[in-house]
Amino acid sequence: MSEETVHEETTGTKGIPESGTARAAESGTVITDFGIDTTNQSTTEALRDYLVRLRSGDIGSLPAILGLIALVVLFSLLSDVFFSLNNIANLLAQGAGQTIIAIGIVYVLLIGEIDLSAGTASGVAGAVLALHYVENGNLLQGMGSTVFWIFNALMVLGAVLAGLLRIWPGVALSLLGVVLTLVGFHANPWIEMLLAVCVGAAIGCITGFLIAKIGMPSFVVTLALFLAWQGVILQLIGQGGVLGISSSHVLDQVANGNLSTIGSWVLCVVAAGGYAAVTVGGHILRRRRGLVTSPTPLIAAKVLALTVFAVVVTALLTVNRSPSKLIVISGVPYVVPIVLVLLVVGTYVLTRTTYGRHIYAVGGNAEAARRAGINVTQLRASVFVICSSCAAVGAIVYSSKVGSVDPQAGGLNTLLFAVGAAVIGGTSLFGGRGRVADAVIGGAVLAVVSNGLGLLRQPAAVVSIVTGLVLLLAATVDAISRRRAAVAQR
């Protein structure tokens, strides 16, 4: 085989950027298998390659970001109070619950599945949390003996099913939930929040086993469980009943409290400084090893933009926003560090661990992943455990926001908004493409829509119509981008 033939076959391999291939062809250099990985790009070349990816359908969360900016500008022009300090703080807390649920749903969507029961699963976790608080830890009295023992049997079942799949965190959390229930600790907000997460994990173990091990379609299973968990919520709370938790200072402060001024600036330094350290450190390390990386000016611009944004938001939120001179309300809402922790941990898991790479592999081609040695059954089940656990955390936040749990907790709108947040942010419904950050961006879009229309005194019908149109637009963009990507690969 001639050198020219080797050169053509090597540079034509799928996955090598067009620009790098073209430059190599023009220079006449023969590229070895991984030679392209040590090719540095200038800022102009990086921007050109980014535009090429956009034209080929790899648009990521760009439409959601542009839409978010457009909505913010629109509502700021239509409402004088949209950019008030009180409204900014309220905006951050308003969509936090559904955003956290959406973070869990991202994992399920990445493998090409769907979880329609995430909303009511969060409602069950919230109902157990509230019932434990109201009954001072005596769930046997609050549930009744029959329901109490069935509830614990389901928790044990979740642990057994997780054990069969070797999902040890699911086993541990399910059994811990049984212990917390049987011991009957007195009302304690930290115990109740932990119990809610345990309930969410057990629900995820059952859901994941039915879908991954039994082989039932995720749509059918989660639709059935959506209805079943709705009935469980009604059984725990009662028709027309409400379980209040606002009298608990800790539970109330989860969504309604704020960090101190010092704590707010510490969070700003940790968040912005951590991002800068990871981004710049990774960039320097890749350059030292001779690996391809983004141009230094682009890295510096990203770090600077995020730092400026964090400083401005923190400075605004540490100003007293109370309308009364007798009360001081200032600081970053507690929900912000909660979402940030889930965002950082989720991003690390998906981008820096073998488990995360396996999720993308299964979402891209499950059969190829299986032949490569990935335990597809275990992985498919595990993402439902993550999803339901995140749903339980979301339940803690939205229950704290309203101060109570009712039979409609985690109902249809909660689920649809959570799924919508993930899709609007850029996560594909077809699997293999998406990030945890997509859920945060999509959640921000939905929160701005709801908040802005509320300030304009629009009825609930208009809010639902606009939200539905935004979701439809996001799904359309996803379908079109996939079609363009398929054409570009031919």
Side-chain angles (χ1 to χ4, degrees), residues 7-31 35-36 39 41 49:
H7 172 69
E8 289 176 2
E9 289 185 0
T10 307
T11 56
T13 301
K14 180 182 177 182
I16 298 179
E18 273 188 44
S19 59
T21 304
R23 290 194 303 274
E26 290 172 1
S27 64
T29 303
V30 178
I31 301 178
I36 192 67
T39 301
Q41 289 182 314
D49 284 350

Side-chain angles (χ1 to χ4, degrees), residues 55-296:
R55 288 196 294 269
S56 64
D58 185 11
I59 57 177
S61 56
L62 180 62
I65 294 174
L66 295 178
L68 179 61
I69 294 173
L71 288 170
V72 168
V73 172
L74 175 64
F75 287 128
S76 62
L77 293 175
L78 296 177
S79 174
D80 295 334
V81 299
F82 182 79
F83 265 134
S84 65
L85 295 180
N86 257 328
N87 192 59
I88 291 175
N90 182 58
L91 188 59
L92 293 174
Q94 189 170 351
Q98 67 191 30
T99 298
I100 292 172
I101 299 175
I103 288 175
I105 289 177
V106 165
Y107 287 86
V108 176
L109 293 179
L110 282 175
I111 64 169
E113 302 287 357
I114 188 68
D115 189 351
L116 299 177
S117 66
T120 50
S122 72
V124 172
V128 173
L129 175 150
L131 192 62
H132 189 279
Y133 173 74
V134 170
E135 297 293 341
N136 195 27
N138 190 349
L139 287 179
L140 177 59
Q141 175 179 306
M143 294 181 176
S145 59
T146 302
V147 175
F148 177 80
W149 292 114
I150 292 176
F151 172 79
N152 279 282
L154 289 174
M155 295 286 287
V156 173
L157 176 63
V160 171
L161 297 180
L164 292 175
L165 293 170
R166 292 183 296 173
I167 304 175
W168 307 123
V171 174
L173 287 173
S174 299
L175 292 180
L176 178 59
V178 174
V179 172
L180 295 177
T181 303
L182 295 178
V183 170
F185 292 99
H186 291 298
N188 182 296
W190 302 105
I191 293 293
E192 282 133 20
M193 288 188 282
L194 178 59
L195 178 59
V197 175
C198 292
V199 170
I203 289 174
C205 294
I206 296 172
T207 306
F209 186 88
L210 293 174
I211 294 169
K213 191 67 175 179
I214 304 300
M216 299 172 65
S218 60
F219 181 87
V220 176
V221 171
T222 57
L223 177 60
L225 290 178
F226 169 86
L227 299 173
W229 300 139
Q230 187 72 67
V232 171
I233 298 170
L234 187 60
Q235 175 66 41
L236 294 177
I237 299 177
Q239 184 71 40
V242 176
L243 299 175
I245 59 174
S246 59
S247 57
S248 170
H249 178 73
V250 174
L251 293 177
D252 178 69
Q253 291 293 297
V254 170
N256 301 302
N258 306 289
L259 295 170
S260 64
T261 300
I262 295 177
S264 299
W265 283 110
V266 169
L267 175 65
C268 176
V269 171
V270 170
Y275 177 79
V278 171
T279 303
V280 175
H283 175 67
I284 294 174
L285 184 61
R286 292 184 68 86
R287 287 183 64 89
R288 286 179 178 175
R289 293 178 176 178
L291 299 175
V292 65
T293 183
S294 299
T296 302

Side-chain angles (χ1 to χ4, degrees), residues 459-475:
V462 174
V463 176
S464 295
I465 291 171
V466 173
T467 303
L469 291 176
V470 170
L471 178 55
L472 181 62
L473 179 61

Side-chain angles (χ1 to χ4, degrees), residues 19 40 48 180 245 309 322 366 449 476:
S19 59
N40 289 321
R48 187 185 303 121
L180 295 177
I245 59 174
F309 177 77
S322 172
V449 169
T476 303

